[in-house]
Amino acid sequence: MSAGLYIHIPFCVSKCIYCNFNSGVCDDYTPYLDCLCNELIMRSVRKGSTVHKSIDTIYFGGGTPSLLSSGQFDRIMDTICAHYDVSCNTEISMEINPNSASQDKIEHFAMRGVNRFSVGLQCADDKILRLLNRPHNTNDFVNTIKMIKQSGVNNISADLMLGLPKQTSEHVKTSIELCMSYNLPHISIYMLKVERGTPLYKLSKTFNMPTDDDSVDLYEQALALLSTYGLHRYEISNTAKQGYECRHNIKYWDYSNYIAVGVSASGFEQRLRYTNLSNVIKYQQKISQCKLPISYAKRIKTDEQYLEYVMLALRMDRGLDKNTFFDTFGVTYDSVYGARTTLLCRQGLVTQNANIVRVTRPTCLNSILVSLLC
């Protein structure tokens, strides 16, 4: 079974006030990219083996990966192609912020294999974008979509955020309608979480922030509107037209292997979960010592695997397949969770037939998991 490959590019033009990711402004990417390529090589074979790992999805996340120059991107792709068995139909995704790449650069990315772009809109209201310290406006988003389409890539996703300061249902409607006017086949919808330590955390008390109930209402409104355009929810935060689901992200939720390289990147291989060092300097020092830059690694025990599998599978609209659970673990789902699932069915929180368990309201998933797994 082929794995996914996640590549973290932590560089941005500026820092958004809500962002808690490992990203920041940097003038010289070269030292980091040197280490990134070395880590790619180090992770390309399993311990005790000389056989290259097979991959069929690649995801460039960040940060803003589209800030890479054509030459820098080529170097990463050349390293991957030289050290991994890359499937001929590999999905290669790149996150791109509006106004972060020229037409020539986007066409070069596409020529080198990028066949899916994820564009960070967040909200189609310039006042809110300025408030968030986003380095673009709505018109920049439109121009970026046009450039991507001109490059020949039509598999385009847009990111929208809900629960933003001063955001209303009209903002959500306008944002979705803008995306649909360009026939985008994939929309990701993320609920804002105000993280301690971010500028937004300090400012949130002075802003007109939507309540949790308001955010849930906005989420359900967004799903309903997107469904009228033919985009179905296939995961809690993701909607797509049939055939445009993100293959890489599905690997996270169906318990597949995915390799991760770069600062703060998290991977899952052969039931081993790991996270890389979050400090760029320490990350580079570790690589220079020819050591993997791991800050955390844990081999998942069998009972923990059950928990993780259920938690991830229930995020998907298709639900949890009991037959797949048995094929994966050699025990029946009902022998572990049958009684609690029946109780949740009586409460109307999940549905089940002979083989499939699904949540009825995705916004209730956390409380469902507590009842099911604890």
Side-chain angles (χ1 to χ4, degrees), residues 211-249:
T211 66
D212 289 345
D213 287 343
D214 290 337
S215 295
V216 168
D217 289 343
L218 293 175
Y219 172 81
E220 293 180 345
Q221 172 202 341
L223 289 183
L225 181 56
L226 286 164
S227 69
T228 67
Y229 289 99
L231 279 74
H232 68 283
R233 182 186 69 82
Y234 69 95
E235 190 271 340
I236 284 201
S237 300
N238 290 277
T239 68
K241 293 182 178 179
Q242 195 68 37
Y244 285 93
E245 299 85 353
C246 180
R247 287 165 44 200
H248 180 84
N249 285 345

Side-chain angles (χ1 to χ4, degrees), residues 37-269:
C37 289
N38 284 335
E39 187 188 1
L40 276 166
I41 296 169
M42 293 165 69
R43 292 198 183 277
S44 65
V45 294
R46 292 191 176 89
K47 188 175 182 179
S49 171
T50 58
V51 178
H52 289 178
K53 295 175 182 176
S54 297
I55 56 174
D56 61 4
T57 67
I58 303 171
Y59 194 101
F60 287 85
T64 311
S66 49
L67 290 176
L68 294 171
S69 69
S70 297
Q72 290 167 337
F73 182 73
D74 285 349
R75 183 182 176 195
I76 297 172
M77 287 301 300
D78 289 344
T79 303
I80 293 170
C81 292
H83 295 277
Y84 292 81
D85 181 7
V86 183
S87 168
C88 61
N89 68 337
T90 295
E91 174 194 84
I92 304 179
S93 300
M94 174 181 279
E95 293 179 355
I96 177 171
N97 273 335
N99 206 27
S100 67
S102 65
Q103 181 72 60
D104 287 345
K105 194 194 287 190
I106 290 173
E107 290 181 356
H108 184 84
F109 292 152
M111 182 270 294
R112 284 305 311 261
V114 175
N115 48 27
R116 182 180 182 276
F117 285 95
S118 180
V119 188
L121 172 59
Q122 315 313 342
C123 181
D125 182 273
D126 289 346
K127 290 182 180 178
I128 292 179
L129 292 175
R130 285 194 295 271
L131 182 64
L132 300 175
N133 199 36
R134 296 287 296 174
H136 65 86
N137 57 36
T138 304
N139 192 55
D140 293 329
F141 170 78
V142 169
N143 290 336
T144 298
I145 296 298
K146 290 178 178 178
M147 288 191 291
I148 293 172
K149 285 181 172 285
Q150 190 171 330
S151 77
V153 176
N154 291 304
N155 191 355
I156 306 171
S157 177
D159 288 351
L160 301 180
M161 294 191 74
L162 304 179
L164 296 172
K166 303 183 181 181
Q167 187 180 42
T168 67
S169 60
E170 189 61 31
H171 290 128
V172 175
K173 180 174 181 288
T174 300
S175 299
I176 290 174
E177 289 178 344
L178 174 64
C179 294
M180 293 303 98
S181 70
Y182 291 93
N183 197 29
L184 302 191
H186 190 288
I187 302 292
S188 296
I189 308 170
Y190 299 109
M191 308 281 262
L192 174 66
K193 183 179 180 182
V194 180
E195 300 279 4
R196 186 181 294 273
T198 63
L200 181 58
Y201 183 82
K202 297 178 181 178
L203 296 170
S204 58
K205 293 181 180 179
T206 65
F207 288 157
N208 180 23
M209 301 289 293
T211 66
D212 289 345
D213 287 343
D214 290 337
S215 295
V216 168
D217 289 343
L218 293 175
Y219 172 81
E220 293 180 345
Q221 172 202 341
L223 289 183
L225 181 56
L226 286 164
S227 69
T228 67
Y229 289 99
L231 279 74
H232 68 283
R233 182 186 69 82
Y234 69 95
E235 190 271 340
I236 284 201
S237 300
N238 290 277
T239 68
K241 293 182 178 179
Q242 195 68 37
Y244 285 93
E245 299 85 353
C246 180
R247 287 165 44 200
H248 180 84
N249 285 345
I250 288 175
K251 288 184 182 294
Y252 300 152
W253 306 312
D254 70 5
Y255 223 52
S256 296
N257 291 324
Y258 51 93
I259 305 156
V261 299
V263 66
S264 290
S266 294
F268 181 60
E269 299 185 64

Side-chain angles (χ1 to χ4, degrees), residues 329-356:
F329 300 114
V331 298
T332 66
Y333 172 86
D334 287 337
S335 68
V336 184
Y337 299 112
R340 280 172 281 184
T341 301
T342 298
L343 178 60
L344 288 169
C345 283
R346 291 173 183 163
Q347 296 171 342
L349 295 173
V350 303
T351 62
Q352 70 172 330
N353 57 30
N355 295 318
I356 304 296

Side-chain angles (χ1 to χ4, degrees), residues 39 42-43 275-277 283 286-287 291-295:
E39 187 188 1
M42 293 165 69
R43 292 198 183 277
T275 299
N276 280 349
L277 292 163
Y283 167 85
K286 206 73 169 179
I287 294 291
K291 296 179 181 179
L292 288 173
I294 295 174
S295 66

